[in-house]
Amino acid sequence: AQSVAQPEDQVNVAEGNPLTVKCTYSVSGNPYLFWYVQYPNRGLQFLLKYITGDNLVKGSYGFEAEFNKSQTSFHLKKPSALVSDSALYFCAVSPLSGTYKYIFGTGTRLKVLA
Amino acid sequence: GAGVSQSPSNKVTEKGKDVELRCDPISGHTALYWYRQSLGQGLEFLIYFQGNSAPDKSGLPSDRFSAERTGGSVSTLTIQRTQQEDSAVYLCASSHPTTGELFFGEGSRLTVL
């Protein structure tokens, strides 16, 4: 079965330190990969996506993600965390071949401590 | 408007009543999705519309749930005879067929007393 895993329910990091939010997937073929962020009482906002090309994708608010095909991972990273980055982060996969059923991970709550 | 618009933002209803939630997608986005999110949890797929094609209703949890999309634009999610377990945030999203990423509305928070 196709799935997306975010192994950490919560990640705590000190402000100014680098952060990583992990995502692995099990999807056949070459899927599209996405990260979304959800601030309290808001809808999800698109951060970045990988379709093809360079394995390091840069997105909004200084975030980037690295696609690793051999490890089927798409970890979200940021070199220096801000308190304002504290939010709920979702990894999502869209299988290719015209399918539309995005598969979302269960989300990782990021807390950046001042 | 520039983004996906949902209304109402908050709805409190009594058990057994019917509710309607509305979604106005971004102009030009042919795909429209409804998701349900309970208490800051993950997203549960409900239904998908693409253009004039028949919708994928496979995620609707029961026959009390239904959705329509009129004229390929505005969508309404209807929950009949609401139950307490229907309490959640209902998120609508739309996407352009060539870009792939989803644009979400702010959600409609439903509380069933």
Side-chain angles (χ1 to χ4, degrees):
Chain A
Q2 303 187 104
S3 63
V4 174
Q6 293 183 241
E8 301 153 318
D9 289 338
Q10 182 162 316
V11 170
N12 294 329
V13 64
E15 187 176 30
N17 282 4
L19 69 88
T20 299
V21 182
K22 296 179 181 177
C23 173
T24 59
Y25 63 92
S26 175
V27 175
S28 58
N30 298 310
Y32 292 6
L33 301 161
F34 303 84
W35 275 102
Y36 292 86
V37 60
Q38 186 177 33
Y39 297 102
N41 300 312
R42 306 291 298 275
L44 278 71
Q45 295 179 33
F46 168 75
L47 270 181
L48 50 79
K49 68 180 177 184
Y50 173 84
I51 296 177
T52 187
D54 194 348
N55 289 344
L56 186 64
V57 178
K58 294 189 183 297
S60 306
Y61 311 121
F63 283 92
E64 56 190 28
E66 187 167 11
F67 171 64
N68 187 315
K69 187 171 184 177
S70 63
Q71 296 185 2
T72 61
S73 68
F74 189 55
H75 300 333
L76 181 70
K77 300 182 180 185
K78 187 173 182 181
S80 178
L82 300 172
V83 172
S84 57
D85 293 329
S86 299
L88 188 58
Y89 290 81
F90 290 95
C91 179
V93 173
S94 171
L96 282 183
S97 67
T99 58
Y100 52 83
K101 278 196 175 170
Y102 294 84
I103 305 166
F104 281 85
T106 51
T108 298
R109 188 165 300 281
L110 173 67
K111 279 195 174 181
V112 181
L113 308 170
Chain B
V4 176
S5 177
Q6 289 189 247
S7 61
S9 55
N10 277 288
K11 176 72 176 179
V12 179
T13 190
E14 294 179 347
K15 178 182 173 181
K17 299 285 189 182
D18 297 351
V19 296
E20 283 191 354
L21 308 176
R22 175 189 167 104
C23 173
D24 197 345
I26 293 172
S27 177
H29 282 193
T30 56
L32 187 147
Y33 303 74
W34 283 98
Y35 289 90
R36 181 166 70 175
Q37 185 179 30
S38 301
L39 279 176
Q41 298 300 308
L43 275 67
E44 176 187 4
F45 168 79
L46 296 177
I47 189 168
Y48 164 77
F49 296 90
Q50 172 59 275
N52 295 320
S53 302
D56 179 349
K57 305 179 181 180
S58 62
L60 295 178
S62 77
D63 58 8
R64 296 186 295 104
F65 288 72
S66 63
E68 291 185 341
R69 189 179 185 190
T70 54
S73 180
V74 173
S75 176
T76 301
L77 177 68
T78 301
I79 308 173
Q80 295 178 311
R81 305 180 303 282
T82 52
Q83 303 295 312
Q84 288 183 333
E85 60 263 29
D86 299 334
S87 296
V89 176
Y90 290 82
L91 293 168
C92 176
S94 68
S95 71
H96 190 279
T98 60
T99 58
E101 61 264 32
L102 300 178
F103 291 83
F104 284 83
E106 298 284 287
S108 292
R109 181 177 298 277
L110 175 65
T111 302
V112 182
L113 301 178

